[in-house]
Amino acid sequence: MVLNTQKEEFSYAYVYAVTAAASYSFQIAPRPLDAEGVDVILTGLGPSQSTRRPRLDVQIKCTSRKLLDNEIIRYPLEVKNYEELRLENPFVPRILIVVLVPESQEDWLRQSQQELCLRYCGYWASLRGLPPTQNQNTVTVQIPTQNIFNTDALKTLMQRIESGELL
């Protein structure tokens, strides 16, 4: 398997694990949505207390580059993806998740009878409403390291969506 494909699959597994642990549904986006910058769709399950069943469209990236700068991840996002994620008023909220992995593929995963550990971590950001860019290739987006994509973060995001709040 090509390294970039392996990173993509690993990052999907990370998001899938968090989504399952938070009791939400994970679906790989169909081709037409993928072409529009949506890799996966996360949705709420079961009875909802509101008329909105929360749904979140996600663009996922994975890198082993050293992108941590103090408490910020600086990720060079392709302009196409930046433009798709910065929409002011999308029908379905969108976020970017960047999963960081160790340089060596052998260090991505640790497993024993007691645990399965996916290394390192995923971070999320909403680019909604950011300004257009004049860049031709990439835009460096900044993601605070406090924005860890974990079950608590996902539950909070989905509760905000369900109540009609903006991300």
Side-chain angles (χ1 to χ4, degrees):
M1 186 182 298
V2 178
L3 180 60
N4 282 342
T5 303
Q6 195 172 0
K7 285 180 180 178
E8 180 180 348
E9 292 295 323
F10 186 87
S11 64
Y12 280 36
Y14 175 92
V15 174
Y16 192 179
V18 169
T19 303
S23 296
Y24 292 103
S25 172
F26 173 101
Q27 177 186 5
I28 294 176
R31 270 229 191 278
L33 284 179
D34 185 41
E36 295 292 320
V38 177
D39 294 324
V40 299
I41 301 164
L42 309 181
T43 52
L45 299 171
S48 177
Q49 301 302 328
S50 81
T51 57
R52 295 176 182 260
R53 179 164 313 278
R55 175 179 160 174
L56 182 60
D57 289 347
V58 181
Q59 169 84 199
I60 305 173
K61 300 296 181 186
C62 184
T63 184
S64 58
R65 287 185 251 159
K66 307 249 188 269
L67 301 175
L68 292 174
D69 181 14
N70 293 325
E71 296 180 2
I72 298 286
I73 295 164
R74 298 181 192 284
Y75 185 81
L77 186 64
E78 290 182 22
V79 169
K80 175 192 179 296
N81 297 136
Y82 176 80
E83 292 298 331
E84 293 161 343
L85 289 165
R86 71 171 201 83
L87 296 174
E88 181 65 39
N89 194 22
F91 184 71
V92 175
R94 294 181 176 188
I95 62 168
L96 170 67
I97 297 175
V98 176
V99 177
L100 300 183
V101 294
E103 289 291 327
S104 172
Q105 296 168 9
E106 293 155 3
D107 294 331
W108 290 5
L109 182 138
R110 298 270 190 241
Q111 184 177 2
S112 70
Q113 291 181 340
Q114 287 75 37
E115 68 181 358
L116 174 64
C117 177
L118 304 178
R119 300 180 63 215
Y120 292 124
C121 194
Y123 302 88
W124 71 274
S126 172
L127 305 185
R128 182 183 172 278
L130 289 180
T133 183
Q134 299 301 316
N135 296 10
Q136 298 298 309
N137 298 316
T138 63
V139 176
T140 300
V141 295
Q142 298 183 14
I143 305 171
T145 55
Q146 68 189 28
N147 284 12
I148 295 174
F149 185 75
N150 57 24
T151 57
D152 289 339
L154 179 55
K155 288 176 183 178
T156 299
L157 289 167
M158 294 302 238
Q159 288 167 355
R160 288 177 61 190
I161 292 167
E162 189 171 13
S163 66
E165 292 180 48
L166 301 177
L167 299 184

